[in-house]
Amino acid sequence: MSKSKVYFTDKIEKESLVKLYDLLGISLKGNVAVKLHSGEAGNQNYMKPEFLKDIIEHVGGTVVECNTAYEGARDTTIKHIKLMEDHGWSKHFKIDILDSDGEEILEIPEGNVIKKNIVGSKMKNYDSMLVLSHFKGHPMGGFGGALKNISIGLASSEGKRYIHTGGIEHASFEDMFEVEQDVFINSMADAAKSIVRFYENQIVYVSAMINISPDCDCCNPALDPCMADIGILASTDPVALDQACIDLVYNSKDEGRDHLVERIESRNGLLILESAEKLGIGSRDYELVTVD
């Protein structure tokens, strides 16, 4: 069985996003959703609309997001839309908050912790998805990449709490901090499985290793980047893509990488790769193809 291909370039330019996407050889069909992180109010590290403009226009996509499970500028649809206006997303693109009209259940019969994923009801309006991820650390997950973007990122507010708590119905914000860490990580892998199944072969992943902070784009403010930018990667396999990003961090000679590695390992963040591989989402064994 051939290894999953992960394309990589150290040329951090908006044109590179399009180039790597085209190398994947997949033309996303129909109504294309573009999942990204809109950035919490006050966050300084999130990927900006101008950087992503070419790739989003290239696929003719609609920028999609879901509301958060914590108080902030994105926990209701009204506030989230205002935030997306403030951050420039709606200036350049069509936007859609997927859980603004309710929720949909995706079954996960093979899930190790959770057997369903609660997503925004509008997800069914999209035939395909481009997942644009900002690779960085995360206060709870250890790191955020493609797998986190399609699991927690695509869950509704209720769905986010459901994943965080390992399946507690109508969980509170406080409940999210009472669950064993491995339960949360494994629940994210379960949720990711449902998204990959939903879109089958009509979902692709592009990740940018820029502004690499130990914190997520949901932090206000986040810690400043702890290491230099690395590059842009793309794959049809989210497990291989996240593993490649992790390997680039671990193999880096940048002194700041130790800060990020500590964040990843203290949260057992690598468990999501192991769990996702066991669920058949993708493979940690990959071929890195460097592109000029």
Side-chain angles (χ1 to χ4, degrees):
M1 189 173 182
S2 61
K3 296 180 179 180
S4 296
K5 279 190 170 62
V6 179
Y7 294 93
F8 168 76
T9 181
D10 60 5
K11 293 181 172 56
I12 303 172
E13 303 165 348
K14 59 184 182 179
E15 294 82 6
S16 297
L17 297 163
V18 176
K19 184 174 185 178
L20 293 192
Y21 166 81
D22 285 342
L23 285 172
L24 297 176
I26 293 180
S27 177
L28 295 176
K29 307 295 185 184
N31 200 14
V32 182
V34 179
K35 175 63 181 76
L36 48 74
H37 198 303
S38 51
E40 185 56 69
N43 183 275
Q44 73 275 33
N45 295 326
Y46 70 95
M47 295 192 294
K48 305 304 188 288
E50 293 75 19
F51 178 61
L52 301 177
K53 190 171 187 292
D54 286 8
I55 182 63
I56 295 172
E57 291 180 346
H58 188 62
V59 301
T62 297
V63 171
V64 303
E65 263 279 37
C66 286
N67 293 319
T68 61
Y70 58 85
E71 290 186 5
R74 301 182 301 135
D75 61 335
T76 69
T77 298
I78 291 174
K79 288 196 287 183
H80 205 158
I81 289 174
K82 175 64 166 57
L83 183 279
M84 294 187 83
E85 291 174 352
D86 293 344
H87 281 183
W89 298 109
S90 53
K91 173 184 176 182
H92 297 288
F93 317 110
K94 293 183 294 182
I95 63 169
D96 195 4
I97 308 300
L98 296 182
D99 57 337
S100 60
D101 287 341
E103 298 168 332
E104 192 89 5
I105 301 296
L106 302 182
E107 302 295 338
I108 322 168
E110 67 276 71
N112 291 308
V113 178
I114 56 174
K115 301 296 183 181
K116 68 178 181 180
N117 186 19
I118 308 170
V119 301
S121 61
K122 288 184 176 180
M123 203 171 82
K124 64 180 179 292
N125 298 334
Y126 296 91
D127 306 294
S128 58
M129 178 170 282
L130 170 63
V131 182
L132 297 178
S133 303
H134 174 207
F135 183 88
K136 70 284 181 190
H138 193 278
M140 296 186 73
F143 76 93
L147 290 168
K148 185 175 184 301
N149 203 0
I150 63 173
S151 56
I152 287 289
L154 281 171
S156 67
S157 292
E158 168 69 15
K160 285 176 171 64
R161 289 187 289 272
Y162 191 80
I163 294 169
H164 268 283
T165 58
I168 296 177
E169 300 280 356
H170 309 300
S172 68
F173 176 77
E174 290 74 21
D175 289 333
M176 298 195 300
F177 300 92
E178 300 298 326
V179 175
E180 290 184 11
Q181 180 69 4
D182 288 4
V183 169
F184 163 51
I185 299 292
N186 282 320
S187 294
M188 280 202 293
D190 291 341
K193 176 69 176 182
S194 72
I195 300 298
V196 170
R197 178 189 290 118
F198 184 87
Y199 285 110
E200 295 183 344
N201 296 320
Q202 279 291 297
I203 182 168
V204 298
Y205 312 86
V206 180
S207 293
M209 300 186 74
I210 61 174
N211 298 336
I212 308 171
S213 166
D215 281 340
C216 180
D217 296 341
C218 58
C219 297
N220 168 28
L223 291 172
D224 286 331
C226 61
M227 58 187 300
D229 294 347
I230 293 176
I232 299 170
L233 301 89
S235 183
T236 58
D237 181 339
V239 181
L241 179 58
D242 277 359
Q243 184 66 62
C245 291
I246 288 290
D247 289 343
L248 286 168
V249 169
Y250 274 67
N251 294 329
S252 173
K253 292 181 170 49
D254 190 316
E255 292 181 0
R257 51 82 75 188
D258 293 346
H259 194 174
L260 181 57
V261 169
E262 188 280 331
R263 174 63 60 87
I264 294 168
E265 294 183 350
S266 66
R267 272 65 168 182
N268 201 17
L270 300 181
L271 177 61
I272 195 172
L273 299 172
E274 177 184 335
S275 298
E277 184 176 51
K278 288 179 179 177
L279 285 166
I281 294 173
S283 173
R284 300 176 72 180
D285 193 16
Y286 64 92
E287 176 189 354
L288 190 68
V289 181
T290 301
V291 178
D292 293 331

